[in-house]
Amino acid sequence: MACAIGLLVASWSMATSGRVRAAGLNLDLDQWAPLNGAWQNGDLNGNNASFPEGGVVPFRLAIEGLDPGAHSIHINYDFTAGGHKAYDYLATWNATLKPKLCGQKGGGISSLCPSLPAPSTRAFPSDDFKANGLTVAGAEAFGQVPRRLTLYGGSITSIAGPTHAGSVNGNSTADFTVKFTSSGSAVLLAWGGHLAMSKYWDVAADGPVDGAGQVSGAPWHMRTLQLDGAGNRNQDRSIQPSAISGSYVPPISSSGPPAIQPPSTTSSSPKKTPIPWSLAPPTSTDGDPAERGAPMEPVLIVVAAATAMVIGGRWTARRDARRRRP
């Protein structure tokens, strides 16, 4: 009887311990709001953020209550929103801005703070996915920003993906699977979302501008999903189009204006003295001393010189004709 009671107590204790561990598990995904100078759980918009196309939005994910050992999680982001490129790839969290990961304002702060242990980093795999005639790998090369995931409190084992889902002409997502090992009960992950550049999308394929600055209406999102296969602690943070400070406007013509050619100096008689050709206007050497050295009007000089040449040529022709009379 005593043995049975002991087993019952032990079983109840284990079950309670498991429930406490599950109840103590907590995830907190924050994004950086540069105008507020703070991490926050809410969305980014024109009141708290201003990012250019090609900028990187920093993210941090604090996980508390883990069992030490192997884990997995998905980082999922909107690749297109309303048919326009949004977050085209993931980047290093401090690629373009330098917020403090243990910043005290807003959001949830990791228990590893303020003295973070040595980080583990791993590069995000390059993405050869093609959209509207261009590859994400091409955008990565064009953007020239570092692309690494950082983890504190353990080590990154692998990063697989991304896998794409949905139509790029509507709403679509990309997804990385991250496997890691935690040294204790807490880890802190950090990465960035790269805002698609219209200088690349889709201009590089002779298409219309299609970067993050073209998104209108609904926001786009960064998510963490399925920690260890469970979806009950998923996180989602959004960014509004008003948080994008502008979009690239391509030039009307990439060839530029036609080159200016100097006048020919190889014409037949009457022979003329060529005008020295220069795009720099000559300067004045007379008149008001305050205006000496000021640029003269190049159009008037060229017209005057050309008129002198024409008049000089006619006068020479008449003079030669008089000389040939008997």
Side-chain angles (χ1 to χ4, degrees):
M1 182 71 177
C3 181
I5 293 174
L7 288 173
L8 179 62
V9 171
S11 299
W12 178 86
S13 176
M14 290 176 63
T16 303
S17 175
R19 287 198 297 272
V20 170
R21 171 67 69 182
L25 182 63
N26 185 66
L27 284 76
D28 197 316
L29 176 63
D30 297 331
Q31 54 188 348
W32 181 251
L35 297 186
N36 289 349
W39 295 96
Q40 66 174 45
N41 289 136
D43 71 351
L44 296 178
N45 54 63
N47 294 322
N48 58 30
S50 179
F51 290 95
E53 288 188 347
V56 173
V57 180
F59 292 89
R60 69 179 185 183
L61 175 69
I63 307 178
E64 306 286 338
L66 284 172
D67 288 323
H71 302 276
S72 66
I73 195 168
H74 289 255
I75 301 177
N76 182 282
Y77 53 99
D78 287 344
F79 178 72
T80 58
H84 300 293
K85 314 303 181 297
Y87 287 132
D88 53 354
Y89 57 86
L90 300 186
T92 305
W93 67 274
N94 60 353
T96 58
L97 297 175
K98 312 295 181 184
K100 295 180 179 180
L101 286 176
C102 289
Q104 298 298 307
K105 292 183 178 179
I109 302 169
S110 172
S111 62
L112 296 173
C113 293
S115 299
L116 294 174
S120 169
T121 71
R122 185 177 287 262
F124 288 106
S126 183
D127 187 2
D128 60 1
F129 181 75
K130 180 177 275 191
N132 304 120
L134 296 170
T135 64
V136 179
E140 295 166 358
F142 186 86
Q144 291 293 302
V145 297
R147 299 180 300 101
R148 300 187 72 85
L149 175 65
T150 302
L151 181 143
Y152 298 88
S155 60
I156 302 170
T157 306
S158 66
I159 303 176
T163 57
H164 286 259
S167 170
V168 298
N169 297 316
N171 297 323
S172 66
T173 62
D175 188 279
F176 280 104
T177 302
V178 178
K179 293 184 177 180
F180 64 94
T181 301
S182 64
S183 303
S185 63
V187 296
L188 176 63
L189 293 95
W191 69 95
H194 182 266
L195 295 165
M197 302 174 69
S198 293
K199 283 187 177 181
Y200 178 79
W201 304 104
D202 292 331
V203 173
D206 295 325
V209 292
D210 198 34
Q214 301 301 308
V215 179
S216 62
W220 60 100
H221 301 255
M222 181 71 67
R223 310 172 187 86
T224 55
L225 307 174
Q226 299 179 343
L227 174 64
D228 294 334
N232 60 340
R233 285 177 175 79
N234 294 343
Q235 299 283 292
D236 187 319
R237 300 293 174 261
S238 64
I239 180 171
Q240 298 282 347
S242 60
I244 309 304
S245 57
S247 177
Y248 171 69
V249 178
I252 296 175
S253 173
S254 59
S255 59
I260 300 176
Q261 300 295 329
S264 173
T265 60
T266 59
S267 59
S268 57
S269 59
K271 188 175 182 180
K272 305 177 181 69
T273 303
I275 301 174
W277 185 258
S278 173
L279 292 178
T283 57
S284 173
T285 57
D286 56 5
D288 189 333
E291 297 181 358
R292 289 177 184 173
M296 296 174 66
E297 185 66 75
V299 176
L300 296 178
I301 292 173
V302 172
V303 172
T307 304
M309 291 171 62
V310 173
I311 295 173
R314 290 178 178 174
W315 179 84
T316 301
R318 289 196 298 270
R319 180 187 62 184
D320 291 345
R322 286 197 298 270
R323 288 183 178 177
R324 287 195 295 270
R325 292 178 181 175

